[in-house]
C-alpha cells in the first residue's frame, strides 16, 4: 500500500496562544524566525542558558520573552504549544515526555516520532496562505515547493480574495445558494484555456 500523508492541516492563531521554544541556538533561531515570519504577533517564551545575538535582536521587535535558564517542566505552565530544539537529545526527549503528560502540542526538531505537528513550508500573499507538508520526510522539498508557489501566485491574488469577499456579502439566500453562486462566479478561475475543466 502506498504511504500517505495523514496529517490534518490547521491554521493556528498563535497570537492567542502561548508558545514555548526550548533552545537558543541556530535551530531555535530558525524556529522563531519561521514562526514570526508567518505570525508576527505570536506570543513566545524562549528558554536557554545562552542565545545567539540574532535571536536576541529578533526578539526585541516582537512579543518574545527571553529567559536565560535550563529547561524545567515548570516552564510548561500556561503554554499551549512547545518546540524543543536544544543540542541535547535527552533534554528534547524530556520536553516531549513532559508535554505528553500535560496534553500539550509538541515538536521536537529533527525528530519526527517526537512531534505532534510539523512546521512545513508556507507561502503568504496577503490573505492567501498555503501550507506545504512532506510528512516530516523532506524539508528541502517543502522549501522548493514554497519557492515554486511564491513565484507562481500573482502578487495581486489578494485583490481577488478581497473582491470575492465583497461579492459574497451581497449574496442572498441560504448557505447552499451562496456556495452555488460563488462556485458559478469563480469557475472561470479553474477552467483550462480551451474551455474544458
Amino acid at each position: 500500500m502506498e504511504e500517505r500523508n495523514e496529517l490534518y492541516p490547521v491554521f493556528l492563531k498563535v497570537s492567542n496562544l502561548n508558545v514555548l521554544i526550548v533552545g537558543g541556538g541556530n535551530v531555535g533561531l530558525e524556529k522563531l524566525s519561521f514562526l514570526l515570519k508567518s505570525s508576527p504577533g505570536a506570543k513566545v517564551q524562549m528558554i536557554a542558558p545562552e542565545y545567539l545575538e540574532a535571536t536576541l535582536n529578533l526578539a526585541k521587535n516582537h512579543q518574545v520573552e527571553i529567559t536565560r535558564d535550563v529547561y524545567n517542566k515548570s516552564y510548561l505552565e500556561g503554554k499551549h504549544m512547545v518546540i524543543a530544539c536544544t543540542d541535547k537529545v535527552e533534554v528534547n526527549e524530556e520536553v516531549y515526555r513532559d508535554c505528553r503528560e500535560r496534553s500539550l502540542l509538541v515538536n521536537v526538531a529533527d525528530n519526527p516520532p517526537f512531534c505532534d505537528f510539523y512546521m512545513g513550508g508556507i507561502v503568504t500573499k496577503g490573505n492567501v496562505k498555503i501550507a506545504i507538508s512532506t510528512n516530516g520526510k523532506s524539508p528541502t522539498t517543502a522549501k522548493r515547493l514554497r519557492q515554486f508557489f511564491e513565484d507562481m501566485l500573482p502578487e495581486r491574488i489578494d485583490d481577488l480574495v478581497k473582491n470575492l469577499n465583497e461579492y459574497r456579502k451581497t449574496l442572498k439566500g441560504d448557505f447552499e445558494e451562496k456556495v452555488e453562486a460563488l462556485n458559478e462566479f469563480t469557475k472561470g478561475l479553474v477552467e483550462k484555456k480551451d474551455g474544458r475543466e
Side-chain angles (χ1 to χ4, degrees):
M1 184 176 192
E2 188 177 326
E3 190 174 0
R4 182 177 172 216
N5 186 332
E6 295 185 358
L7 297 173
Y8 184 76
V10 296
F11 290 92
L12 299 172
K13 295 179 179 180
V14 289
S15 59
N16 296 340
L17 304 176
N18 296 315
V19 180
L20 177 68
I21 298 177
V22 182
N26 287 319
V27 181
L29 174 59
E30 176 187 300
K31 298 297 184 184
L32 180 65
S33 299
F34 182 84
L35 183 63
L36 294 176
K37 179 182 178 191
S38 186
S39 302
K43 293 183 288 188
V44 182
Q45 180 181 17
M46 292 188 78
I47 306 292
E50 298 176 36
Y51 293 91
L52 299 173
E53 194 63 36
T55 302
L56 297 174
N57 290 335
L58 182 60
K60 286 178 192 173
N61 299 318
H62 295 87
Q63 296 181 67
V64 179
E65 177 185 344
I66 296 291
T67 304
R68 293 181 188 272
D69 198 0
V70 294
Y71 169 74
N72 179 300
K73 62 184 173 185
S74 65
Y75 286 115
L76 299 176
E77 190 66 35
K79 300 301 185 286
H80 300 102
M81 187 169 102
V82 180
I83 300 164
C85 50
T86 74
D87 57 1
K88 295 180 175 63
V89 172
E90 63 277 7
V91 173
N92 291 339
E93 292 184 2
E94 179 185 358
V95 172
Y96 175 79
R97 286 189 302 276
D98 290 344
C99 288
R100 298 306 296 153
E101 286 175 8
R102 290 160 180 76
S103 299
L104 296 175
L105 291 175
V106 61
N107 171 289
V108 176
D110 297 323
N111 196 341
F114 288 80
C115 293
D116 294 322
F117 64 92
Y118 303 129
M119 300 172 84
I122 294 176
V123 179
T124 304
K125 301 263 180 147
N127 286 293
V128 176
K129 185 167 285 196
I130 299 171
I132 301 161
S133 167
T134 60
N135 212 15
K137 305 256 187 246
S138 178
T140 301
T141 300
K143 177 182 177 181
R144 294 295 174 232
L145 286 170
R146 175 183 56 79
Q147 291 168 333
F148 170 79
F149 283 113
E150 282 176 344
D151 291 342
M152 293 304 293
L153 285 176
E155 289 300 324
R156 298 192 61 199
I157 193 148
D158 200 43
D159 292 344
L160 172 66
V161 172
K162 290 175 182 173
N163 290 337
L164 284 174
N165 184 48
E166 290 303 314
Y167 174 65
R168 185 180 65 140
K169 291 176 187 176
T170 68
L171 296 176
K172 306 290 184 225
D174 64 17
F175 178 77
E176 193 172 313
E177 290 170 322
K178 289 178 180 181
V179 168
E180 184 60 36
L182 281 168
N183 283 339
E184 185 64 29
F185 189 71
T186 59
K187 73 179 179 184
L189 296 173
V190 294
E191 287 179 347
K192 298 214 183 325
K193 289 181 180 174
D194 63 3
R196 287 177 291 135
E197 287 189 43

